Amino acid sequence: MGISLKTKHLGRYRELAQLLMKYGRSDLVKRAGLEESLAGARPAADDATNSPAQVEAKAEASELAKDLEALGPTYIKLGQLLSTRADILPPIYMDALEHLQDDLEQFPYAEVEEIVERELGARISKLFSEFEVEPIAAASLGQVHRARLRDGRRVAVKIQRPGIQQKILDDMEALGDVATFLDEHTEKGKQFTFALMLDQFRRSVLRELDYTQEATNLRVFRENLKEYPLIVIPAPIADYSTAVVLTMEFVPGVKVTKLSPLRRTELDGEALGRDLIAAYFKQILVDGVFHADPHPGNVFLTDDDRIALIDLGMVGYLSANMREKLLKLMLAIAEGKGDTAAEVSISMGEIRPEFDEDAYVREIAQLVALNQNATVGQTDIGRVILELTRISGENGVRLPAELTMLGKTLLNIDRVAKTLAPDFDVNESIRENAVSVMRKRMLHSASPTNTLSTLLEMNEFMQRLPGRLNKVLDRVADNELSLHIDAIDEVELIAGMQKIANRITMGLILAALIMGGALLVRVPSSWTLLGYPGVAIILFLFAVAGGVALLYSIWTSDRKPRAKVE
């Protein structure tokens, strides 16, 4: 049974079919009915399909990353998402997809000029005193140009690629058809629900395409992280921003990955690492909203030796309950408490029928113990959380998607912190931040808004309390107070006990009739039936009739409750 092929998506089906064939999943291509989409297509990489065992895993993973890059922006973003799913892909594939290049060919300046002028309602020369023709970055969703406002401020202008939103929606529709087929016809699909995963991915990418949302994120993070002087968030320029054009403060600096050894020696890497870790802990465990894409390319070291976080289009959201459990989980990992980590992760996830609790707890405990015994340079809590999600997926625990996003975020933050300070102890930083996080959580819960809400509820309670007490006391005085408890129905219980007693009595009577008849058989009598004393035979007949009646009663009355239970 194949999927329903839509003519407008034939090109995309062909790309997906080629990808599946190339990486050894020709069975899925045939079951999905995608062979016809390959008609006329070039026979891509048959050698790899015929002998995958001869190709090194690392080379194959790197080739997959290149293939996704060639397929365009949607697949680049999809590959970046898959690089966080340790429950689906082996580590070697995650590493390859993690390094997917988001740098694409720039689109012409004429299109940039057209989009900016259409969106902002004026000519570029009127809006900006300077606007550089060559972009400083060209990513999958847009490109960034340096400019200067009329008041002299230096800004970065981010312009969305023409037609990118419609292209992504079309790609998503084709991917959705394949994801639904996999969910319905494969064990992995039933285990991971690819359609749900794709829906979450779609919402994330569409939010990233809305630059008004990114402008809001910039304002929110500037406010939330203002207590960290070493962390810089560029300010958005509201009058120069729309859904497809974002103008923000330009922050001069260099990517953390491009720091020279000499430049590193001039830095206070420990202080920068501590502030970076503390800032992310506040985002994750206090604010409930965190920058979900802090890869080294999005983390700059400014000219005044501070850390700048840019590209805040992708953020994660955590509920209060999730934040509470995450704090427990991260402390358990940092302190080497494997059983606690397993218990917390089980409470966070959805338990599937194949869940094996003993095996799960054993593997999580081993993972946490290995992390506890690692050296400072080997400690990587982000990698531990991603590994935890992999173990969970294999053992029947489906953890929230936010946890995989969080694991990737912490993985990147770990790497940035260790780039700045190679001997930075992340576990020790977690322990140090635990008390601070708890204090901030308590202060956050005691905010004016929460306090006012609590006071309003207390006021309502106090106003209604006298009236409710009067009603209760009046009923007590009139002997009308009754409690309704949903427990065992005493009427049915008594009826059942009476039925048991009646059957026991009936059984005793029948036994007495049988014993009496047996004794009378030995007594000579002039009146006989069937050659035996007549009275004895009558007693036996009564006993047989009573026994049949009792069995019939048991059979008919006990079948009704049994049918209700079934």
Side-chain angles (χ1 to χ4, degrees):
M1 178 181 178
I3 64 176
S4 176
L5 293 176
K6 300 175 184 177
T7 305
K8 66 177 181 177
H9 294 323
L10 285 179
R12 292 177 175 86
Y13 291 140
R14 182 183 298 114
E15 292 168 349
L16 289 169
Q18 287 175 353
L19 208 60
L20 290 170
M21 290 285 288
K22 182 172 182 178
Y23 293 97
R25 296 316 305 261
S26 56
D27 57 324
L28 295 181
V29 174
K30 293 176 183 177
R31 289 172 62 187
L34 291 174
E35 300 102 321
E36 59 186 275
S37 70
L38 287 173
R42 57 185 174 84
D46 288 336
D47 294 339
T49 303
N50 295 330
S51 57
Q54 299 176 0
V55 182
E56 294 183 3
K58 187 173 181 179
E60 188 175 89
S62 298
E63 192 170 356
L64 173 61
K66 292 177 182 177
D67 288 339
L68 291 175
E69 282 181 21
L71 290 176
T74 306
Y75 295 92
I76 290 174
K77 290 294 179 184
L78 181 61
Q80 291 172 345
L81 168 69
L82 290 173
S83 72
T84 69
R85 298 306 299 256
D87 53 337
I88 298 177
L89 292 180
I92 194 166
Y93 279 84
M94 290 175 58
D95 291 338
L97 295 178
E98 184 184 348
H99 295 94
L100 268 172
Q101 295 299 313
D102 208 16
D103 295 327
L104 297 184
E105 183 180 351
Q106 67 187 63
F107 54 92
Y109 177 73
E111 294 185 15
V112 171
E113 192 172 23
E114 179 188 347
I115 294 170
V116 171
E117 292 179 353
R118 182 185 69 240
E119 291 293 320
L120 301 185
R123 295 182 63 83
I124 281 186
S125 59
K126 298 291 185 182
L127 296 167
F128 303 94
S129 61
E130 298 176 13
F131 196 99
E132 295 185 5
V133 174
E134 290 297 319
I136 56 177
S140 56
L141 302 184
Q143 64 188 34
V144 182
H145 292 255
R146 265 194 300 242
R148 189 183 297 272
L149 298 179
R150 285 291 174 179
D151 60 9
R153 285 180 292 172
R154 296 178 66 194
V155 294
V157 185
K158 186 175 180 180
I159 304 99
Q160 197 170 107
R161 284 185 177 274
I164 188 65
Q165 186 165 349
Q166 188 57 50
K167 176 174 174 50
I168 286 178
L169 288 174
D170 289 342
D171 287 341
M172 291 291 185
E173 189 176 349
L175 286 168
D177 293 339
V178 176
T180 301
F181 172 82
L182 293 176
D183 287 351
E184 293 175 353
H185 298 90
T186 67
E187 289 301 319
K188 288 295 183 183
K190 294 180 176 66
Q191 180 180 356
F192 296 112
T193 57
F194 294 123
L196 177 61
M197 188 190 308
L198 186 67
D199 183 57
Q200 293 168 342
F201 172 58
R202 180 189 294 109
R203 291 199 302 269
S204 174
V205 174
L206 290 179
R207 280 198 301 267
E208 201 172 346
L209 283 169
D210 183 0
Y211 287 174
T212 57
Q213 180 63 51
E214 184 172 350
T216 300
N217 294 340
L218 290 169
R219 285 190 288 270
V220 168
F221 281 91
R222 279 176 65 84
E223 177 64 25
N224 290 349
L225 302 181
K226 63 184 180 182
E227 63 187 270
Y228 299 100
L230 296 180
I231 305 296
V232 178
I233 307 292
I237 313 297
D239 293 338
Y240 288 74
S241 299
T242 68
V244 296
V245 174
L246 173 62
T247 304
M248 70 193 98
E249 173 188 8
F250 179 75
V251 181
V254 62
K255 291 181 181 180
V256 170
T257 51
K258 294 185 178 180
L259 290 176
S260 65
L262 179 61
R263 185 76 173 90
R264 287 196 184 95
T265 61
E266 299 171 348
L267 297 174
D268 186 354
E270 289 285 344
L272 290 171
R274 279 195 301 270
D275 256 27
L276 185 64
I277 295 291
Y280 269 85
F281 266 68
K282 182 178 184 296
Q283 293 174 48
I284 294 165
L285 300 173
V286 179
D287 303 327
V289 53
F290 63 94
H291 180 207
D293 193 24
H295 63 77
N298 286 342
V299 180
F300 277 58
L301 183 71
T302 65
D303 293 344
D304 57 354
D305 293 346
R306 294 189 296 168
I307 293 177
L309 302 177
I310 63 171
D311 194 3
L312 272 72
M314 187 183 295
V315 299
Y317 300 92
L318 300 169
S319 66
N321 182 50
M322 179 66 73
R323 297 199 298 271
E324 192 76 32
K325 291 178 179 178
L326 274 174
L327 179 59
K328 293 178 182 178
L329 177 63
M330 295 173 74
L331 284 174
I333 293 173
E335 295 175 0
K337 297 180 179 178
D339 291 345
T340 303
E343 180 182 344
V344 174
S345 60
I346 290 172
S347 69
M348 294 171 69
E350 175 189 343
I351 305 302
R352 297 180 58 79
E354 67 270 19
F355 177 56
D356 184 345
E357 184 171 359
D358 292 337
Y360 181 72
V361 172
R362 186 167 56 252
E363 288 195 50
I364 295 298
Q366 183 179 11
L367 171 66
V368 173
L370 289 172
N371 177 71
Q372 185 70 10
N373 296 329
T375 64
V376 171
Q378 295 171 330
T379 301
D380 198 336
I381 193 167
R383 179 69 72 184
V384 173
I385 290 180
L386 289 175
E387 183 69 9
L388 185 145
T389 63
R390 182 192 65 79
I391 294 172
S392 299
E394 290 179 353
N395 287 276
V397 180
R398 182 184 294 162
L399 293 177
E402 293 85 357
L403 193 62
T404 59
M405 185 183 290
L406 177 64
K408 181 65 178 296
T409 299
L410 291 174
L411 179 65
N412 284 322
I413 290 302
D414 288 345
R415 291 177 178 175
V416 172
K418 288 172 184 174
T419 299
L420 297 168
D423 296 329
F424 188 77
D425 190 341
V426 177
N427 278 358
E428 183 60 31
S429 179
I430 292 172
R431 298 186 191 98
E432 290 176 356
N433 278 286
V435 175
S436 174
V437 165
M438 290 302 297
R439 183 175 65 252
K440 288 172 183 173
R441 282 175 62 86
M442 293 178 67
L443 290 173
H444 185 73
S445 63
S447 64
T449 303
N450 290 337
T451 303
L452 179 60
S453 176
T454 303
L455 288 174
L456 289 173
E457 291 177 1
M458 289 180 63
N459 180 54
E460 182 182 0
F461 172 75
M462 294 303 295
Q463 286 179 349
R464 295 187 178 186
L465 182 61
R468 289 172 177 172
L469 281 175
N470 284 335
K471 289 181 181 179
V472 172
L473 292 174
D474 287 343
R475 293 200 173 205
V476 171
D478 297 338
N479 198 28
E480 295 178 352
L481 184 67
S482 61
L483 297 177
H484 297 280
I485 301 174
D486 290 331
I488 298 174
D489 190 335
E490 65 276 7
V491 176
E492 290 191 9
L493 180 62
I494 292 173
M497 294 178 67
Q498 288 177 340
K499 187 183 292 185
I500 293 171
N502 291 340
R503 288 178 179 176
I504 292 174
T505 303
M506 185 68 172
L508 291 173
I509 292 172
L510 293 176
L513 290 174
I514 293 171
M515 292 296 295
L519 292 173
L520 289 175
V521 167
R522 295 179 176 275
V523 178
S525 174
S526 58
W527 179 50
T528 61
L529 289 173
L530 303 175
Y532 294 98
V535 175
I537 294 300
I538 289 173
L539 292 178
F540 280 126
L541 291 175
F542 271 118
V544 170
V548 171
L550 180 60
L551 289 173
Y552 179 78
S553 173
I554 292 172
W555 175 255
T556 56
S557 63
D558 287 359
R559 285 189 68 185
K560 294 178 181 178
R562 190 182 303 119
K564 290 180 181 178
V565 171
E566 293 174 354

